[in-house]
């Protein structure tokens, strides 16, 4: 079957009008619906967004492939569209999407259809082909281009099969993929939830990059038709490392004892070289299948204790953040109403109950502790960790006590696994549902009650008192440090450490001491705002695409979403990071010099009115942003000089 049998001309959109992701999806669905190949628009749209929630189908390189496999589709169809302006599609590389393929597959799609969709996905790895596709003007040109390309691919495949048969007849050893003179060999598995697009794009990207690097590779795909090119035991044994680029569960026990990189399928597409190099160097945890050890206990040569602690901590913080943002915004709104209507207003009471100490904020430390514990000891550690975190809240051990509870509960469960390993096999079913929860909770709770709660309660009280009594000079230095940390890695460990510290102070003070929150919020708002200003006023130093992306950073910066600056930092780390760190540190220091208190953990400009000196807070952000923008704009070379 030809790709163009599915990509019918009547559905093609040669000039997509949408400017947003939602708008683009709506326009593509409308074209599909008009073709009569869909029977339930609402269900199809729901399934498209369900796939987007798992990971963006904006794969980068200007391509987006929203797709769904559902009974809402009558006949397998691909809707092709182009956008001259580009659409912000939350793509993996942060760049707008310009070429769109909406793949609609029926629930019982025939194997022929699935293979054709896989062939389409593979073609999109070819950047030259995409460039030609962007230059097409009519649906006929699109169809001709795909037909010619598919014919070329099929001819190459036939030649390869013929050579394989010749080699077999001559008893020539089978060559995998790559340089036959190289003994460097890795294996990989690719899989995505729907098994239609990303699975095969990751396969092709890994094979293409391995060929360029002179590395032999064998890739197994777990697509809609099931596992294809299944790895043999001998291939796994000979491989120097294993790459699992998957967003769904794959068979892992066969990799026991091998260095295994487990990454999202999108990394297989966009970070293929990095994955291959790490696999070759054995730079990955050694996988241990169930019953032969625990994956968490496996270590690689280059995996440090610090990186393991950071991974566990980030697991707790990432799960805590929705409670911070949701509860914090509602709490901030309640403060605004309180200023206008007083503390007895029913709306104020409602919002403070939902967002404050008896609502979302009550869960911050238990959630943090629970998911730190789960990262260490897996699911059996979740409950003891959460209870330990709750005990920290109730005993005034606070944020620090919650951290300690999370790490302790995780390692308590690991120790229990070892201690109970000698029990009869008949009791294995009781371990996760009875023994681990009961003994894990008992041990964690006892240590918290008699040791950690008193110790960390005292430390927490001392820390809050010290911060409340800081002199102006010391406070400014702390503000400089916290503000600068927000820009060092823009969402990484330094950024999260500064934010977590400020949240700890804020919650420990009964949600009143927002001095540190003012410093980190100002510092975190500076990078995207500085990028936006620099790309606006130094236009000759940014590409047209960068200038368009820069405009979105006005909104991101004002909303306290530091991550908007990441694509620019990745492209020019020295200039962008240095300039942003300087401006963020100045903004953070100014908030402390002017003794600004901002009793809200998130929201940016939308909660600025809550600050005791709202205008000074905005001025601190503006000064830091302008300074960073000037440094970046003056330092960056004009495009012509590059």
């Amino acid at each position: 079957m030809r790709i163009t049998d599915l990509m019918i001309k009547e559905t093609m959109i040669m000039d997509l009008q949408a400017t947003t992701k939602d708008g683009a999806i709506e326009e593509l669905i409308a074209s599909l619906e008009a073709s009569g190949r869909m029977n339930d628009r609402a269900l199809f749209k729901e399934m498209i967004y369900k796939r987007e929630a798992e990971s963006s189908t904006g794969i980068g390189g200007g391509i987006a492939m929203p797709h769904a496999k559902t009974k809402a589709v009558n006949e397998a169809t691909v809707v092709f569209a182009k956008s001259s302006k580009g659409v912000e599609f939350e793509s993996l590389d942060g760049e707008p999407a310009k070429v769109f393929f909406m793949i609609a597959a029926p629930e019982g799609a025939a194997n022929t259809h699935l293979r054709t969709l896989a062939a389409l996905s593979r073609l999109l790895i070819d950047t030259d082909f995409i460039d030609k596709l962007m230059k097409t003007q009519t649906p006929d040109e699109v169809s001709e281009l795909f037909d010619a390309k598919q014919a070329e691919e099929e001819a190459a495949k036939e030649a390869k099969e013929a050579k394989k048969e010749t080699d077999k007849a001559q008893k020539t050893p089978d060559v995998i993929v790559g340089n036959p003179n190289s003994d460097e060999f890795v294996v990989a598995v690719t899989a995505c939830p729907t098994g239609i697009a990303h699975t095969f794009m990751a396969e092709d990207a890994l094979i293409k990059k391995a060929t360029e690097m002179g590395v032999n590779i064998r890739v197994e795909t777990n697509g809609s038709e099931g596992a294809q090119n299944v790895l043999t035991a001998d291939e796994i044994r000979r491989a120097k490392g294993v790459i699992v680029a998957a967003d769904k569960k794959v068979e892992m026990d066969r990799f026991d004892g091998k260095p295994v990189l487990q990454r999202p399928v999108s990394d297989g597409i966009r970070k293929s070289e990095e994955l291959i190099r790490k696999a070759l160097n054995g730079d990955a945890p050694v996988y241990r299948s169930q019953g032969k050890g625990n994956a968490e206990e496996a270590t690689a040569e280059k995996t440090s204790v610090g990186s393991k602690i950071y991974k566990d901590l980030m697991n707790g913080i990432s799960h805590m953040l929705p409670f911070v943002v949701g509860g914090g915004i509602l709490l901030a709104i309640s403060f605004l109403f309180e200023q206008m209507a007083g503390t007895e207003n029913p709306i104020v009471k409602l919002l403070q109950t939902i967002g404050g100490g008896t609502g979302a904020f009550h869960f911050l430390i238990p959630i943090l502790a629970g998911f730190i514990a789960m990262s260490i000891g897996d699911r059996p550690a979740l409950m003891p960790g959460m209870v330990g975190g709750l005990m920290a809240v109730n005993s005034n051990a606070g944020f620090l006590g919650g951290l300690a509870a999370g790490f302790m509960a995780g390692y308590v469960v690991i120790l229990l696994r070892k201690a109970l390993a000698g029990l009869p096999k008949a009791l294995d079913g009781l371990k996760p549902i009875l023994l681990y929860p009961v003994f894990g909770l008992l041990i964690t709770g006892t240590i918290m009650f008699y040791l950690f709660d008193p110790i960390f309660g005292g430390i927490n009280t001392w820390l809050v008192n010290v911060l409340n009594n800081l002199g102006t000079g010391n406070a400014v230095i702390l503000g400089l440090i916290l503000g600068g940390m927000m820009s060092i890695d823009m969402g990484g460990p330094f950024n999260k450490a500064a934010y977590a510290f400020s949240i700890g102070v804020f919650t420990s003070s009964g949600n009143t001491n927002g001095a540190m929150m003012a410093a980190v919020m100002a510092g975190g708002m500076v990078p995207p705002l500085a990028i936006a200003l620099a790309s606006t006023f130094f236009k000759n130093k940014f590409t047209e695409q960068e200038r368009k992306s820069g405009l979105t950073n006005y909104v991101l910066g004002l909303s306290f979403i530091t991550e908007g600056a990441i694509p620019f930092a990745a492209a020019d780390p020295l200039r962008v990071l240095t300039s942003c760190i300087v401006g963020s540190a100045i903004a953070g220091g100014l908030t402390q010099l002017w003794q600004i208190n901002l009793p809200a953990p998130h929201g940016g400009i939308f909660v600025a009115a809550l600050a005791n000196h709202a205008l000074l807070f905005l001025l601190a952000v503006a000064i830091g942003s302008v300074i960073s923008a000037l440094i970046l704009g003056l330092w960056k070379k004009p495009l012509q000089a590059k």
Side-chain angles (χ1 to χ4, degrees):
M1 176 180 275
R2 313 295 292 176
I3 291 172
T4 45
D5 292 338
L6 303 181
M7 194 184 299
I8 55 177
K9 296 176 185 178
E10 291 77 12
T11 64
M12 293 185 188
I13 306 172
M14 300 308 293
D15 187 16
L16 194 76
Q17 297 301 302
T19 57
T20 65
K21 179 175 182 175
D22 290 342
I25 289 174
E26 285 287 352
E27 200 169 336
L28 289 162
I29 290 177
S31 181
L32 176 64
E33 186 177 36
S35 71
R37 296 192 170 199
M38 177 173 66
N39 58 66
D40 189 336
R41 179 192 179 104
L43 176 59
F44 182 73
K45 182 177 177 180
E46 179 188 338
M47 298 306 290
I48 284 286
Y49 276 104
K50 182 180 179 182
R51 176 61 186 86
E52 292 297 323
E54 291 166 348
S55 65
S56 175
T57 57
I59 61 172
I63 303 169
M65 296 185 70
H67 54 271
K69 185 179 179 183
T70 167
K71 61 184 181 182
V73 177
N74 298 325
E75 187 176 350
T77 310
V78 177
V79 181
F80 169 78
K82 284 196 321 170
S83 169
S84 56
K85 296 169 285 193
V87 176
E88 178 52 54
F89 209 85
E90 300 172 0
S91 299
L92 302 178
D93 59 0
E95 296 296 323
K98 292 189 174 183
V99 180
F100 301 83
F101 298 88
M102 176 169 276
I103 300 174
E107 212 162 55
N111 287 346
T112 304
H113 287 153
L114 296 174
R115 282 193 290 270
T116 306
L117 293 173
L120 166 65
S121 302
R122 291 186 172 106
L123 293 183
L124 303 184
I125 292 296
D126 188 337
T127 54
D128 291 336
F129 178 71
I130 295 300
D131 288 341
K132 292 176 183 176
L133 200 56
M134 280 300 299
K135 294 173 183 176
T136 57
Q137 299 296 320
T138 66
D140 285 332
E141 290 179 16
V142 174
S143 296
E144 289 168 8
L145 188 61
F146 269 102
D147 283 339
K149 183 65 176 176
Q150 191 170 7
E152 179 186 323
E153 293 285 321
E154 288 171 354
K157 185 177 179 181
E158 288 173 7
K160 183 178 177 181
E161 289 297 324
K163 182 179 184 306
K164 189 174 180 181
E165 288 300 318
T166 302
D167 290 343
K168 187 176 180 180
Q170 296 175 352
K171 298 184 178 180
T172 304
D174 184 34
V175 175
I176 311 292
V177 175
N179 182 354
N181 298 318
S182 172
D183 61 355
E184 305 286 73
F185 178 47
V186 298
V187 294
V189 180
T190 64
C192 70
T194 51
I196 295 175
H198 291 60
T199 301
F200 304 102
M201 296 182 77
E203 176 199 20
D204 260 32
L206 287 165
I207 289 174
K208 185 177 180 182
K209 185 56 67 175
T211 304
E212 292 175 8
M213 298 168 66
V215 174
N216 290 322
I217 191 169
R218 181 87 149 70
V219 184
E220 172 186 314
T221 57
N222 281 216
S224 291
E225 293 183 77
Q228 302 290 323
N229 304 319
V230 177
L231 301 174
T232 67
D234 181 62
E235 287 166 349
I236 295 170
R237 180 187 58 78
R238 290 190 293 115
K240 291 192 173 182
V242 180
I243 300 165
V244 178
D247 288 336
K248 70 175 185 180
K249 188 175 181 180
V250 299
E251 175 55 48
M252 294 293 294
D253 286 350
R254 53 189 165 155
F255 301 132
D256 182 65
K258 301 293 293 188
V260 178
L261 277 171
Q262 297 188 61
R263 296 288 190 86
V265 69
S266 57
D267 281 5
I269 300 171
R270 292 295 157 199
K271 299 181 180 179
S272 49
E273 181 173 358
E274 175 193 330
L275 299 187
I276 293 169
R277 289 199 187 282
K278 283 181 176 289
L280 281 176
N281 296 332
D283 186 8
V286 174
Y287 183 80
R288 298 295 180 196
S289 63
Q290 191 174 6
K292 296 183 181 179
N294 202 289
E296 284 84 355
E297 298 168 23
T299 57
E301 283 184 24
K302 299 184 181 179
T303 302
S304 66
V305 173
S307 63
K308 177 70 172 72
I309 291 173
Y310 169 68
K311 170 184 161 292
D312 300 332
L313 178 61
M314 287 304 104
N315 190 59
I317 289 177
S318 65
H319 284 89
M320 178 185 76
L321 280 178
F323 292 83
V324 174
V325 175
I329 294 296
L330 291 182
L331 200 59
I333 295 172
S334 78
F335 293 155
L336 289 174
F337 271 101
E338 187 177 7
Q339 292 177 9
M340 297 183 290
T343 57
E344 298 303 314
N345 184 279
I347 296 178
V348 172
K349 287 185 175 181
L350 174 66
L351 293 175
Q352 289 186 349
T353 300
I354 297 172
T358 57
F361 264 43
H362 188 65
F363 291 93
L364 296 189
I365 294 173
I367 289 292
L368 172 74
F371 281 94
I372 288 174
M374 187 174 176
S375 178
I376 298 167
D378 213 343
R379 195 178 298 274
L382 176 64
M383 182 272 292
M386 289 189 70
V387 174
L390 186 61
M391 291 178 70
V393 173
N394 294 334
S395 68
N396 200 37
F399 185 73
L400 294 176
L403 286 176
F407 282 101
M408 178 182 61
Y411 287 109
V412 162
V413 169
I414 285 179
L415 290 174
L416 282 172
R417 280 203 184 100
K418 293 180 177 179
L420 301 176
L423 290 178
K425 207 161 185 61
L427 297 177
D428 280 357
L430 287 178
K431 289 179 183 178
I433 63 171
L434 178 64
L435 301 182
Y436 295 153
V438 171
F439 287 109
L441 179 60
L442 178 62
I443 296 170
T444 300
T446 301
I447 296 174
M448 284 298 297
F449 187 81
Y450 286 108
L451 184 63
F452 282 10
D453 283 352
I455 291 175
F456 287 102
I459 293 174
N460 200 48
T461 301
W462 172 81
L463 179 61
V464 172
N465 290 335
V466 168
L467 291 171
N468 286 333
N469 295 299
L470 271 180
T472 301
N474 290 332
V476 170
I477 293 172
L478 184 57
L480 285 166
I481 294 171
L482 291 174
M485 287 175 69
M486 295 299 289
S487 281
I488 291 177
D489 49 9
M490 299 178 185
F494 286 96
N495 175 287
K496 290 293 189 291
Y499 187 70
F501 173 78
S502 302
I503 284 287
V505 173
F506 182 60
T507 55
S508 297
S509 67
N511 304 333
T512 58
N513 186 344
M516 301 301 105
M517 288 309 314
V520 298
M521 198 175 297
M525 291 169 71
V526 164
L529 288 174
I531 294 294
L533 289 169
S535 61
T536 299
F537 293 101
F538 295 90
K539 293 183 178 180
N540 65 321
K541 300 187 177 184
F542 294 85
T543 66
E544 181 183 356
Q545 195 61 58
E546 287 173 333
R547 292 198 298 273
K548 288 179 180 177
S549 298
L551 292 175
T552 64
N553 275 283
Y554 281 113
V555 177
L556 296 174
L558 292 173
S559 305
F560 183 35
I561 301 175
T562 315
E563 287 81 356
I566 289 177
F568 293 85
D572 190 2
L574 178 62
R575 295 182 180 88
V576 173
L577 290 179
T578 304
S579 57
C580 288
I581 290 168
V582 172
S584 292
I586 290 172
L590 287 175
T591 63
Q592 302 310 294
L593 178 65
W594 295 331
Q595 298 180 351
I596 298 171
N597 183 59
L598 182 56
H602 212 285
I605 193 173
F606 303 106
V607 297
L610 301 177
N612 57 341
H613 303 298
L615 293 178
L616 287 178
F617 173 75
L618 295 176
L619 181 60
V621 173
I623 291 172
S625 301
V626 169
I627 289 173
S628 289
L630 287 172
I631 295 173
L632 177 59
L634 295 172
W635 191 359
K636 197 172 175 66
K637 294 179 180 179
L639 292 178
Q640 308 89 282
K642 284 187 178 181

